[in-house]
Amino acid sequence: MNSLALINEFLGQPPNASAHGYQIDHILEFCHWFMAALFIGWSTFFIFVLIRFRKRRQPAADHAGVRSPISTHLEFSVVLIEAVLLVGFAIPLWAKRVNQFPPGKEGLVVHVVAQQFSFNYHLPGPDGQFGRRDVSFVSNSNPVGLDPNDPAGKDDIVTTGELHVPVDRPVIAELSSKDVIHDYFVPAMRIGGDAIPGSLIPIWFTPIKTGTYEVICAQLCGLGHSGMKGTLVVDTPQDYQAWLKERAELAGGAQGAAPSPSPGAAQPGAPQQPQPQNKPPQPAASPSPSG
Ligand SMILES: [Cu+2]
């Protein structure tokens, strides 16, 4: 693991905290060593050519050129190594990431709804069922557009900026966006995916270390892009249950007292409205739209 720690430091990457991350680190490490070897090899060749074919030694041009097959062999070797990297490592690794999702029961499914300039999270609550969402229900107090008339959505948990997940359990995040293309990127988990309006893009990872990790937007999405950050907290199973309970209580309080929002009353771009008195405090991590 020492060499992987070195490459992470060299590339400015945080230490890996996910089950598959070491594979990404290995391929990054191999690519960098390979590129370093190519750089040294071609630089040496360049300097050799400058000296070997200098004007003083070669006053007349030789029209037959190089007769040695070494450069051809070298070039074929480079092509071969690159093909092995791509076909043997990169494509299978990628295929495993996108084709072999953990079964739904085993994983924790969460909907990530991106907007300028924050990430909202929608969890199914104790009943395990996601409530219906529609853009017409989106308002300042209903950032993901949860349908207030859908019984499955009554116990749903919605948070902005901060998500908690339990350690050692696969997390399946289904990415979507309310406005422009964003990218949900968790560097410590070595995972990221575009959040595109009208699409539902699943990504998955298994956190293996408890802690607080940075979530960033990896697509230039507007003036507040650089401030579009959030946190992913990997909890012990006990801490995660406590967080779920706390969020469910807050959601229950809001659902019971909140008036039914009328569709179209507030659009995503509408100016900030005064918050209702019975609304629970939002996490401080929620970034302001001005970014
Ligand atoms: Cu963004």
Side-chain angles (χ1 to χ4, degrees):
M1 288 302 284
N2 272 343
S3 60
L4 288 182
L6 246 167
I7 192 82
N8 291 342
E9 205 178 316
F10 174 65
L11 296 174
Q13 290 213 94
N16 169 49
S18 74
H20 76 280
Y22 75 96
Q23 291 174 299
I24 307 271
D25 289 356
H26 269 304
I27 207 161
L28 275 177
E29 187 192 24
F30 187 83
C31 285
H32 277 81
W33 281 120
F34 182 51
M35 290 305 134
L38 279 186
F39 175 73
I40 292 167
W42 287 123
S43 303
T44 311
F45 178 70
F46 178 63
I47 293 164
F48 165 77
V49 166
L50 283 181
I51 297 166
R52 172 72 180 73
F53 301 104
R54 64 190 187 277
K55 196 181 174 189
R56 207 163 355 114
R57 188 162 157 186
Q58 305 268 324
D62 177 358
H63 293 284
V66 178
R67 290 173 191 86
S68 156
I70 289 175
S71 67
T72 315
H73 293 334
L74 268 175
E75 275 169 41
F76 270 112
S77 311
V78 169
V79 169
L80 198 72
I81 296 173
E82 281 175 0
V84 168
L85 266 183
L86 191 67
V87 180
F89 293 93
I91 292 176
L93 181 61
W94 177 244
K96 212 171 152 191
R97 293 303 309 158
V98 297
N99 290 335
Q100 296 174 8
F101 268 69
K105 275 180 222 148
E106 194 187 298
L108 173 85
V109 182
V110 52
H111 290 173
V112 179
V113 184
Q115 68 176 73
Q116 287 172 322
F117 295 97
S118 57
F119 291 109
N120 303 292
Y121 300 99
H122 177 201
L123 291 114
D127 69 351
Q129 277 192 309
F130 284 98
R132 200 177 80 86
R133 283 196 276 125
D134 192 273
V135 70
S136 62
F137 296 113
V138 169
S139 68
N140 285 326
S141 58
N142 188 0
V144 301
L146 212 53
D147 183 348
N149 305 314
D150 182 6
K154 291 282 181 226
D155 63 345
D156 285 14
I157 295 166
V158 176
T159 69
T160 299
E162 186 175 282
L163 174 71
H164 286 238
V165 294
V167 71
D168 290 330
R169 188 176 164 196
V171 177
I172 301 170
E174 294 188 349
L175 313 178
S176 62
S177 170
K178 291 198 302 202
D179 37 46
V180 300
I181 298 175
H182 300 273
D183 188 288
Y184 186 74
F185 182 34
V186 195
M189 299 297 156
R190 304 290 190 267
I191 195 80
D194 276 3
I196 300 172
S199 295
L200 208 60
I201 298 170
I203 59 169
W204 75 279
F205 59 95
T206 307
I208 54 170
K209 271 184 230 162
T210 55
T212 303
Y213 304 100
E214 192 176 40
V215 175
I216 51 178
C217 178
Q219 288 282 12
L220 189 56
C221 58
L223 283 177
H225 163 70
S226 62
M228 188 165 168
K229 291 178 179 180
T231 37
L232 176 77
V233 181
V234 179
D235 283 331
T236 59
Q238 295 83 353
D239 286 352
Y240 177 65
Q241 288 307 324
W243 178 78
L244 269 188
K245 201 167 156 241
E246 182 198 306
R247 296 309 310 184
E249 276 164 13
L250 289 172
Q255 294 280 336
S260 187
S262 56
Q267 295 300 322
Q272 186 78 27
Q273 292 178 345
Q275 301 289 327
Q277 290 303 309
N278 53 20
K279 198 173 173 291
Q282 288 296 303
S286 173
S288 70
S290 59

